[in-house]
Amino acid sequence: MANVNANSVYRIAPYHYIHVLDQNLNVTRLEIGPKTFVKQDNEKVVLGPEKMITIPPRHYCVVENPAIKDQEKKIQFDESGQVKLAFAELEIRFAREPFPLYPGEILKQNITPLRILPANSALRLKAILDFEEENGEKRVAGDEWLFEGPGTYIPRKEVSVEEQIRATTIKPNQAIRLRARKECTDRNGKERVTGEEWVVKKNGAYLPGAYEEVVSVVDAYVLTEKRALHMRSLRTFTDDFGKKRLNGEEWLITLDDTETHIPSVYEEVVGVVDVTTLSSRQYAVILDPIGEDGKPQLGKKRLVKGEKSFFLQPGEKLEKGIQDVFVLGEDEGLILKCIEAFEDENKQQKSPGDRWMIKGPTDYVPPVEVEVVTRRKAIPLDENEGIYVRDIKSGKVRAIVGQTYMLNQDEELWEKQLPNDVEKLLAKDALAERNTRDSKNDTLKARVKSQVVTYRVPHNGAVQVYDYKEKKSRVVFGPDLVMLGPDEQFTLISISGDVPKKPNVIKALCLLLGPDFFTDIIQIETSDHARLSLKLSYSWYFKINKEDEKEACKLFNVPDFVGDACKAVASRIRGAVASVGFDDFHKNSAKIIRASVFGLDEAGNIRKEFTFKQNNLVITSIDIQAVEPVDQRTRDSLQKSVQLAIEITTNSQEATAKHEAERAEQEARGKLERQKILDEAEAEKARRALLELQALSAAVESTGQAKAEAQSRAEAQKIEGEAAVEQARLKADAAKIEAQSELERLTHARNAELGYVREQNEIEISKQTQLSEVEVNKFKKMVDAIGAQTLREMATAGPDLQVKMLQALGLQSTLITDGSNPINLFNTANGLIGNFSPKKQKHNPEDDVD
């Protein structure tokens, strides 16, 4: 708004206006320019000057509270002169002459371009007042419709624009899903109810109706030979292929039905099913297959063999997936079990529970009535290998050794159980690990319990095996391999160990026959009650006849032969030492112990060995490794005597050492004095040699310079002479080389020149030869062309003419001369004419050519 002029004169420009309020009447009037307005005292300019509103073409504006006009479109005023207004009304004004706003009119919407709609777009309009369109169609408030482009929308006050809608482009293999917002008729003329959905598949631009809304754009599923669609019905309807589908029904759409498929609103895509392809070496079992009537056969199975490709129908599934055909080699077989009665390929009736075996080489596809229990492979066994086989019908267990064997349908591998101690000992080496106490083989690979248990008996060892079924035992001597039968077990040996001996320390399967030794500590008491501890080592071996089974069995009659032997020997030693005093035992301990153990023969001599009759164990020697007193009193007295002996020995050794040290010191001092004298003599000799060398060096120094200069001059002259000789020799060699090179150059040049001349001569000769041949051929051809008769006539033509001329003249002969030379006229005519012979005339070929 412009400011009101301070004075009372208003100059209103063209197309401008002001509002003047008459304060007496309280009426506002409009003053339009161009004019000069003089304001009275009771008047007040409440607006202006303002520029009139100019609406260009294809524009509009909205005026609120417009002035009321009569039928002649003239402004109406009330009794007081105030413009009548249509309050709360709107007026849309389009392009016209510039106009002012009357008092009370409000420009609600400024000048706005008319909305131009392109193709494939529309405005959704809504009637806010009842009205009738120009074409006579009545609109009720709340109606909605579309103004579709292309076109220019002319606004009305009774209509509001809700939104602008653009057409949705339906591409190939696409569709749009629509929903009705209220009851309506779609573009195909079909009635739709509120909330109903449908699909439009026609390609191109689709403009939804006023009561339609686009739910989504649906892409078509492209079906190939390897893909199919799993569909589910949401309600009972008829699908695109004309087939009635019930609510909840599932089916499959493949390439045979259509190349692309767009789901309708009454069906949903459960998933994309990939084709199941079987090669010629594969098969599959379908559970709950679809029958020919299209209904699932629950609980049934169908076998499909390759080569084949198929789609799993809804509800079908593969049992264990795609399986490979069983290809059996010569050493393989299949254990089969019948689960449903059927008749096999050989017309044999199979009952449920039957088991049988087929062997290779062959390939096999099990029917649905057959279950493959297991696949068997022949087990190759060396002569030292075997397996335990159990007959599942009779329960009998047997060992198969040293052959290739394949279990049949009524057999299975039997696992032989062994005690834990035996399991650990089987993994140990009887010789290398005989002194180990801890179990180092716990982490070793577990034994295959179905294989025959084997144990390698080392050299000079024995193992006892007991058969609990036959109630008898056998002893195997090494080196040998023990193979246990199904009912056989090893005899476990528990032997005393450690020092002193403790029972059940060493466990073994193999009994070593020796010779060997074991060590023990025993306590004895002498007759004077001196208690001593002896550490003894016994050498032993088993004296056995391996050919005698009874003698061999004696080896295992005593379970702990070490403990029993140590106890027996200790008892004999204690009995013998109890009757001997400490001093006597201290002096003759070895003899007393050996005599007590081995005993004396008839001659009173000590025997060499002691034998245990129960197991033929022989003790051959006893080694006393240590003797220590047990009680403190004996240990103290023995310690004092030992200390006294040590002290005496120490003093004696000190005196001897001191004497030796003094003697060594005297000898060293004498050697030192003697060495000093020798060193001084050597020093004098060296001093004399030094003086001689100094004198010689002085003489050499005086004569050295002159001698050196003379020698250097001689050497220089010698070098110069040798250099001159070498230079002359090199020059001679260079001249010789130059002469040789020049000679070679000339030789090559002459040879080249001779070759050139020779080649030119040969070329010239060849040229002349060819020319001569050409001339000869030319002459020969000319002669052949003229002919012999023609040549003869040409040769005789001159003389014949002369003869005829003379004959015509009547002359015999004629002669023409100058008269100065004498001529013999007697023979002239004869020579010229009469004696002329054509055969004697020489012919020149060149004359004929010319």
Side-chain angles (χ1 to χ4, degrees), residues 665-691:
E665 185 181 359
Q666 292 296 331
E667 289 180 356
R669 189 178 291 110
K671 289 181 180 180
L672 180 61
E673 294 296 333
R674 182 179 178 182
Q675 188 65 35
K676 286 182 179 180
I677 294 172
L678 293 176
D679 291 342
E680 289 178 357
E682 290 295 332
E684 290 298 330
K685 289 180 181 180
R687 189 178 295 109
R688 186 182 65 182
L690 176 62
L691 293 176

Coordinates of all heavy atoms in Angstrom, one line a residue, residues 665-691:
E665 N 111.0 -77.5 43.9 CA 111.5 -76.1 43.9 C 113.0 -76.0 43.7 O 113.5 -75.2 43.0 CB 111.1 -75.6 45.3 CG 111.4 -74.1 45.4 CD 111.1 -73.5 46.8 OE1 110.5 -74.3 47.6 OE2 111.3 -72.3 47.0
Q666 N 113.8 -76.9 44.3 CA 115.3 -76.9 44.1 C 115.6 -77.2 42.7 O 116.5 -76.5 42.1 CB 115.9 -78.0 45.0 CG 115.8 -77.7 46.5 CD 116.6 -76.4 46.9 OE1 117.6 -76.1 46.3 NE2 116.1 -75.7 47.9
E667 N 114.9 -78.2 42.1 CA 115.2 -78.5 40.7 C 114.9 -77.3 39.8 O 115.6 -76.9 38.9 CB 114.4 -79.7 40.2 CG 114.9 -81.0 40.8 CD 114.0 -82.2 40.4 OE1 113.1 -81.9 39.6 OE2 114.4 -83.3 40.7
A668 N 113.8 -76.6 40.1 CA 113.4 -75.4 39.3 C 114.4 -74.3 39.5 O 114.7 -73.6 38.5 CB 112.0 -75.0 39.7
R669 N 114.9 -74.1 40.7 CA 115.8 -73.0 40.9 C 117.1 -73.3 40.2 O 117.7 -72.4 39.6 CB 116.1 -72.9 42.4 CG 116.9 -71.6 42.8 CD 117.2 -71.4 44.3 NE 115.9 -71.1 45.0 CZ 115.3 -72.0 45.8 NH1 115.8 -73.2 46.0 NH2 114.2 -71.7 46.3
G670 N 117.6 -74.5 40.2 CA 118.8 -74.9 39.4 C 118.6 -74.7 37.9 O 119.5 -74.1 37.2
K671 N 117.5 -75.1 37.4 CA 117.2 -74.9 36.0 C 117.1 -73.4 35.7 O 117.6 -73.0 34.6 CB 115.9 -75.6 35.7 CG 115.9 -77.1 35.7 CD 114.6 -77.7 35.3 CE 114.7 -79.2 35.3 NZ 113.3 -79.8 34.9
L672 N 116.6 -72.6 36.6 CA 116.5 -71.1 36.4 C 117.9 -70.5 36.3 O 118.2 -69.7 35.3 CB 115.7 -70.5 37.5 CG 115.5 -69.0 37.4 CD1 114.8 -68.6 36.1 CD2 114.8 -68.4 38.6
E673 N 118.8 -70.9 37.2 CA 120.2 -70.3 37.1 C 120.9 -70.7 35.9 O 121.6 -69.9 35.2 CB 121.0 -70.8 38.4 CG 120.5 -70.2 39.7 CD 120.6 -68.7 39.8 OE1 121.5 -68.2 39.1 OE2 119.8 -68.1 40.5
R674 N 120.8 -72.0 35.5 CA 121.4 -72.4 34.3 C 120.8 -71.7 33.1 O 121.6 -71.3 32.2 CB 121.2 -73.9 34.2 CG 121.8 -74.6 33.0 CD 121.6 -76.1 32.9 NE 122.2 -76.7 31.7 CZ 122.1 -78.0 31.4 NH1 121.3 -78.7 32.2 NH2 122.6 -78.4 30.3
Q675 N 119.6 -71.5 33.1 CA 118.9 -70.8 32.0 C 119.4 -69.4 31.9 O 119.6 -68.8 30.8 CB 117.4 -70.9 32.1 CG 116.6 -70.4 30.9 CD 116.8 -71.2 29.7 OE1 117.0 -72.4 29.8 NE2 116.9 -70.6 28.5
K676 N 119.6 -68.7 33.0 CA 120.1 -67.3 33.0 C 121.5 -67.3 32.3 O 121.8 -66.4 31.5 CB 120.2 -66.8 34.4 CG 118.9 -66.4 35.0 CD 119.1 -65.9 36.4 CE 117.7 -65.4 37.0 NZ 118.0 -64.9 38.4
I677 N 122.4 -68.2 32.7 CA 123.7 -68.2 32.1 C 123.6 -68.5 30.6 O 124.3 -67.8 29.8 CB 124.6 -69.4 32.7 CG1 124.8 -69.0 34.2 CG2 125.9 -69.5 32.0 CD1 125.5 -70.1 35.0
L678 N 122.8 -69.4 30.2 CA 122.6 -69.6 28.7 C 122.1 -68.4 28.0 O 122.5 -68.1 26.9 CB 121.7 -70.8 28.5 CG 122.2 -72.2 29.0 CD1 121.2 -73.3 28.8 CD2 123.5 -72.6 28.2
D679 N 121.2 -67.7 28.6 CA 120.6 -66.5 28.0 C 121.6 -65.4 27.9 O 121.6 -64.7 26.9 CB 119.4 -66.0 28.9 CG 118.2 -67.0 28.8 OD1 118.2 -67.9 27.9 OD2 117.3 -66.9 29.7
E680 N 122.5 -65.3 28.9 CA 123.5 -64.2 28.8 C 124.5 -64.5 27.6 O 124.9 -63.6 26.9 CB 124.3 -64.1 30.1 CG 123.4 -63.5 31.2 CD 124.2 -63.5 32.5 OE1 125.3 -64.0 32.6 OE2 123.6 -62.9 33.5
A681 N 124.9 -65.8 27.5 CA 125.8 -66.2 26.4 C 125.1 -65.9 25.0 O 125.7 -65.4 24.1 CB 126.1 -67.7 26.5
E682 N 123.9 -66.3 24.9 CA 123.2 -66.0 23.7 C 123.0 -64.5 23.4 O 123.1 -64.1 22.3 CB 121.7 -66.6 23.8 CG 121.7 -68.1 23.8 CD 122.2 -68.7 22.4 OE1 122.1 -68.0 21.4 OE2 122.7 -69.8 22.4
A683 N 122.9 -63.7 24.5 CA 122.8 -62.2 24.3 C 124.2 -61.7 23.8 O 124.2 -60.8 22.9 CB 122.5 -61.6 25.6
E684 N 125.3 -62.2 24.3 CA 126.6 -61.7 23.8 C 126.8 -62.1 22.3 O 127.3 -61.3 21.5 CB 127.7 -62.4 24.6 CG 127.8 -61.8 26.1 CD 128.1 -60.3 26.1 OE1 128.8 -59.9 25.1 OE2 127.6 -59.6 27.0
K685 N 126.3 -63.3 22.0 CA 126.4 -63.7 20.6 C 125.6 -62.8 19.7 O 126.0 -62.3 18.6 CB 126.0 -65.1 20.4 CG 126.9 -66.2 21.0 CD 126.4 -67.6 20.7 CE 127.3 -68.6 21.4 NZ 126.8 -70.0 21.1
A686 N 124.4 -62.4 20.1 CA 123.6 -61.6 19.4 C 124.2 -60.2 19.2 O 124.0 -59.5 18.2 CB 122.2 -61.5 20.0
R687 N 124.8 -59.7 20.4 CA 125.4 -58.3 20.3 C 126.6 -58.3 19.3 O 126.7 -57.3 18.6 CB 125.9 -58.0 21.7 CG 126.4 -56.5 21.8 CD 126.8 -56.2 23.3 NE 125.7 -56.3 24.2 CZ 125.5 -57.2 25.1 NH1 126.5 -58.2 25.2 NH2 124.5 -57.2 25.9
R688 N 127.4 -59.3 19.3 CA 128.5 -59.4 18.3 C 127.9 -59.4 16.9 O 128.4 -58.7 16.0 CB 129.3 -60.6 18.5 CG 130.6 -60.7 17.6 CD 131.4 -62.0 17.9 NE 130.6 -63.1 17.5 CZ 131.0 -64.4 17.6 NH1 132.2 -64.6 18.2 NH2 130.2 -65.4 17.2
A689 N 126.9 -60.2 16.6 CA 126.3 -60.2 15.3 C 125.8 -58.8 14.9 O 125.8 -58.4 13.7 CB 125.2 -61.3 15.2
L690 N 125.2 -58.1 15.9 CA 124.7 -56.8 15.6 C 125.8 -55.8 15.2 O 125.6 -55.1 14.3 CB 124.0 -56.3 16.9 CG 123.4 -54.9 16.8 CD1 122.4 -54.8 15.7 CD2 122.8 -54.5 18.1
L691 N 126.9 -55.9 15.9 CA 128.0 -55.0 15.5 C 128.5 -55.3 14.1 O 128.8 -54.4 13.3 CB 129.2 -55.1 16.5 CG 128.8 -54.6 18.0 CD1 130.0 -54.9 18.9 CD2 128.5 -53.1 18.0

